Amino acid sequence: MLSVTEAAATILDLVLLPTEAEQVSLDAALGRILAQPIPSPLDFPHWDNSAMDGYAVRYADVQGASAEQPQSLTVVETIPAGRSPTRPVGPGQAARILTGSMLPAGADTVVMQEVTQREGDRVIVLEAPTTQQFVRHRGSYCRAGDPLMAAGQLIGGPELAVLASAQCLQVPVFPQPRVAILSTGDELVGPGTPLQPGQIVDSNQYALAALVRQAGAIAVPLGIVPDQPQALRAAIQTALTQADAIVSSGGVSVGDYDYVDEILVELGATLHIRAVAVKPGKPLTVATFPIANGSAPLYFGLPGNPVSALVTFWRFVAPALRKRSGQGTDWGPMVVPAVTSHDLKAGGQRETYLWGRLAMTAAGHRFELAGGGHNSGNLINLAGTNALAVVPVGTKLIPAGETAQVMVVG
Ligand code: AMP
Ligand code: MG
């Protein structure tokens, strides 16, 4: 049985980086991954401009100004934001300027309004600025031709602002991986079907589709597959025509109706992982299909227990999808040290994940274990959690008040 670290590394090695790019409009780029570096088409700022409301001046005119020795300058014009100055500032002159307004020729410094007095067409400067104070110089943030953003960048609000400022209307992004989702089990029904004795709702389909989308991929929910080899074979074959990766839940343990591994081998897949020393989630199948059309579809056979399915997705599938999406090199998971409020107990044989809430307090990160049973069938106390505390192999207890490594999943 592989350790969690070995399994995670094996999986990442199997994932191919995207090679193609597609163009999307700026409006559709949120959450996508930049496929090519973007050079800046412009200088930022585009021109010398003022960082303050005040007066554009020549430093030489005001370097000796003070309350005792005020300097009086003639105000030659007002430069509102969005307009070009119409005349240079000469010796003994100033221009009224507003934040973001272009600096007029001749001026090299801005005196902020708060240290001036206005008297008609004159301004009295009561405090000497430093030279070039409050001037944002053209190209000081980024020069035309310099890299604006690197390939692999996840596009969020700040990145959209930068792309919009650079007038990048079409954004080159990697195609999103398509992930088929299958739920195996004769006991499963959709949430609209009245339950017969022994049946349960296929909740994994909803959870896994949501996590696929949160990882930046396209979820292709393919529904429930009964525990029959024929049906499973047909469902996987269909999934292969529609997706770059397949995530199934259930049917990977050693029960009489667990056919996933057997069918994968029949279909020509290579099994790389069949079990991982993790709790919850021990039976975990990872397989690849032969390369076709430049892609080698990946198969993740997650355990059926709702908590096991989610924990194994967070720990193993989400980083793989981030890599497959082309996102930088930081594929996760994100792990932070946090002081646990409760005892964290484990068997010591397998790396154990306990769910709860991570909070930032004045004293640092704190982990609150979810109340109720911590068994892989209890999905109810998963709601409202955002983190998994990790108890390593060989440890049976991390006592309350001690620091644990906590994986952020929210
Ligand atoms: P399995 O891995 O197929 O042996 O399933 C283990 C447990 O998880 C069983 O109790 C199943 O009823 C439950 N289970 C399997 N698939 C799902 C699903 N899609 N949604 C909710 N529970 C499931
Ligand atoms: Mg089953």
Side-chain angles (χ1 to χ4, degrees), residues 44-53 98-103 108-110 132-141:
F44 285 90
H46 312 319
W47 41 76
D48 290 354
N49 71 96
S50 176
M52 285 282 171
D53 293 334
L98 298 151
T99 305
S101 295
M102 288 175 79
L103 202 74
D108 56 17
T109 299
V110 172
Q132 303 189 24
Q133 197 170 20
F134 302 130
V135 177
R136 303 167 178 158
H137 288 103
R138 173 174 184 161
S140 61
Y141 305 160

Side-chain angles (χ1 to χ4, degrees), residues 74-381:
T74 308
V75 180
V76 293
E77 75 166 324
T78 294
I79 310 161
R83 300 263 189 83
S84 277
T86 61
R87 49 194 295 174
V89 168
Q93 296 183 335
R96 171 77 174 130
I97 201 164
L98 298 151
T99 305
S101 295
M102 288 175 79
L103 202 74
D108 56 17
T109 299
V110 172
V111 173
M112 64 173 175
Q113 186 170 312
E114 288 83 344
V115 299
T116 64
Q117 269 168 23
R118 184 68 183 259
E119 288 176 8
D121 70 348
R122 301 195 69 77
V123 61
I124 319 293
V125 179
L126 301 165
E127 201 179 292
T130 57
T131 180
Q132 303 189 24
Q133 197 170 20
F134 302 130
V135 177
R136 303 167 178 158
H137 288 103
R138 173 174 184 161
S140 61
Y141 305 160
C142 180
R143 290 194 179 282
D146 283 354
L148 195 61
M149 242 184 270
Q153 173 67 53
L154 172 64
I155 300 172
E159 291 74 25
L160 284 174
V162 174
L163 292 167
S165 302
Q167 301 188 306
C168 183
L169 298 180
Q170 291 292 314
V171 186
V173 294
F174 289 119
Q176 289 172 287
R178 293 171 58 83
V179 182
I181 298 162
L182 298 171
S183 298
T184 73
D186 284 339
E187 73 280 28
L188 304 175
V189 295
T193 308
L195 294 174
Q196 301 302 319
Q199 293 184 330
I200 58 166
V201 171
D202 169 19
S203 57
N204 289 350
Q205 187 90 203
Y206 289 83
L208 294 173
L211 300 196
V212 163
R213 293 186 186 112
Q214 283 177 345
I218 297 170
V220 183
L222 293 181
I224 299 166
V225 186
D227 287 318
Q228 292 155 13
Q230 298 285 24
L232 190 55
R233 188 179 303 117
I236 294 175
Q237 279 172 321
T238 303
L240 280 171
T241 65
Q242 300 192 21
D244 309 297
I246 303 169
V247 175
S248 69
S249 64
V252 287
S253 35
V254 291
D256 293 345
Y257 300 95
D258 296 329
Y259 300 118
V260 171
D261 290 8
E262 180 183 320
I263 303 268
L264 287 172
V265 171
E266 261 182 56
L267 289 173
T270 308
L271 295 185
H272 301 274
I273 298 176
R274 299 191 66 173
V276 180
V278 59
K279 188 176 179 204
K282 182 168 81 174
L284 171 74
T285 292
V286 179
T288 46
F289 285 91
I291 298 187
N293 311 321
S295 99
L298 264 175
Y299 192 100
F300 294 96
L302 310 184
N305 271 313
V307 179
S308 310
L310 293 196
V311 169
T312 49
F313 187 98
W314 279 318
R315 185 62 187 85
F316 301 110
V317 186
L321 293 184
R322 285 190 209 105
K323 179 174 179 188
R324 188 72 186 83
S325 305
Q327 192 176 321
T329 50
D330 187 13
W331 303 310
M334 198 202 332
V335 177
V336 296
V339 174
T340 177
S341 303
H342 301 82
D343 285 352
L344 302 176
K345 293 179 190 152
Q349 305 289 326
R350 291 186 268 154
E351 189 163 304
T352 300
Y353 288 73
L354 297 163
W355 43 106
R357 275 198 78 77
L358 182 70
M360 272 292 275
T361 71
H365 286 112
R366 238 192 139 70
F367 179 77
E368 288 283 334
L369 191 67
H374 278 256
N375 71 72
S376 53
N378 179 10
L379 80 167
I380 300 305
N381 66 353

